[in-house]
């Protein structure tokens, strides 16, 4: 596709519900990043994939958060037993390369509200 | 200490003037540096990247990098009201064959007519 696509754009979940957020990166992009952005803050790194390999998951806040990219393209971020503090915008970004000079491009984000 | 530090602002600049945005980072092994612009309710948009010491110019934007001082800046010349946004500094702490892009908390810029 022309850009990074995320779905759904908005998600309201009841506390304790499981949610799955989808990211469709730019075609051919090797690297994929997930970020969490709270209101008024910068994006916080969650996890990084290089093709299908999850090379860094140091930013996942708890074991309720899980991400996968099984075929090296589409990625899913899953949050189990959602809590109110999980309310945020979840951003996905992709980049063509895997080295340090990679430029990352963002999707529109998914705004998650836990009630 | 946060890995990427920015003054949160707001920074108010008159239309037509130069806006100067600053950023410091803590990890000396950082390889590449980016500035993103984020309008309210929108996702970050890449506006500049810089990889080596010195200045890099693109239209009204100039990015400056000083690795010895661990300092990155963005200058916006001839500021326009449409430049009003939050500017995010980002650093790629790439290691081996992987990437890790860390963001600052952003500086809110307001261009007053």
């Amino acid at each position: 596709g022309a850009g990074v696509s995320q779905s759904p754009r908005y998600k309201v979940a009841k506390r304790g519900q499981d949610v799955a957020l989808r990211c469709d990166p730019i075609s051919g992009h090797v690297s994929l990043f997930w970020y969490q952005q709270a209101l008024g803050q910068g994006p916080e790194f969650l996890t990084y994939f290089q093709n299908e390999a999850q090379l860094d998951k140091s930013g996942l806040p708890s074991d309720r958060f899980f991400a996968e990219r099984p075929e090296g393209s589409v990625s899913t971020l899953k949050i189990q037993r959602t809590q109110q503090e999980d309310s945020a915008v979840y951003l996905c970004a992709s980049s063509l390369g895997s080295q340090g000079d990679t430029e990352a491009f963002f999707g529109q984000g998914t705004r998650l509200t836990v009630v | 200490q946060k890995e990427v530090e920015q003054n949160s602002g707001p920074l108010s600049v008159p239309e037509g003037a130069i806006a100067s945005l600053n950023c410091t980072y803590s990890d000396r092994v950082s390889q590449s540096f980016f500035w993103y612009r984020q309008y309210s309710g929108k996702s970050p948009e890449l506006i500049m990247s810089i990889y080596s010491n010195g200045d890099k110019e693109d239209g009204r934007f100039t990015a400056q990098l000083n690795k010895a001082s661990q300092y990155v800046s963005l200058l916006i010349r001839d500021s326009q009201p449409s430049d009003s946004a939050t500017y995010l500094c980002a650093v790629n702490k790439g290691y081996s064959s992987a990437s890790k892009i860390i963001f600052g908390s952003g500086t809110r810029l307001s261009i007053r007519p």
Side-chain angles (χ1 to χ4, degrees), chain B residues 10-84:
Chain B
L11 176 64
S12 181
V13 172
E15 185 174 356
I18 295 175
S20 178
L21 303 160
N22 305 313
C23 170
T24 58
Y25 60 95
S26 60
D27 194 336
R28 286 193 171 274
V29 302
S30 300
Q31 297 182 8
S32 46
F33 308 86
F34 309 96
W35 284 98
Y36 286 79
R37 177 176 62 200
Q38 186 172 30
Y39 293 113
S40 182
K42 302 294 186 182
S43 60
E45 171 194 9
L46 180 67
I47 53 171
M48 288 287 287
S49 57
I50 187 166
Y51 308 112
S52 53
N53 281 328
D55 295 0
K56 178 182 177 184
E57 186 174 319
D58 183 1
R60 296 187 296 112
F61 298 98
T62 298
Q64 299 174 315
L65 174 61
N66 183 327
K67 289 187 178 181
S69 300
Q70 295 174 238
Y71 178 88
V72 195
S73 66
L74 178 71
L75 300 178
I76 307 174
R77 289 181 299 282
D78 188 24
S79 297
Q80 304 296 311
S82 60
D83 295 327
S84 297

Side-chain angles (χ1 to χ4, degrees), chain A residues 17-81:
Chain A
Q17 185 179 357
D18 297 350
V19 298
L21 312 180
R22 176 188 168 105
C23 173
D24 201 340
I26 295 171
S27 179
H29 277 199
V30 167
S31 294
L32 187 145
F33 306 82
W34 281 100
Y35 291 86
Q36 179 189 62
Q37 187 173 26
L39 193 64
Q41 300 296 316
E44 292 287 337
F45 174 85
L46 295 178
T47 187
Y48 165 72
F49 288 87
Q50 187 179 114
N51 295 307
E52 70 279 2
Q54 188 175 21
L55 298 187
D56 191 329
K57 52 182 181 180
S58 60
L60 296 176
S62 76
D63 59 7
R64 295 186 296 105
F65 286 71
F66 172 76
E68 60 183 5
R69 194 186 185 198
E71 297 179 358
S73 178
V74 171
S75 177
T76 303
L77 176 67
K78 297 179 179 178
I79 309 173
Q80 297 177 323
R81 304 181 304 280

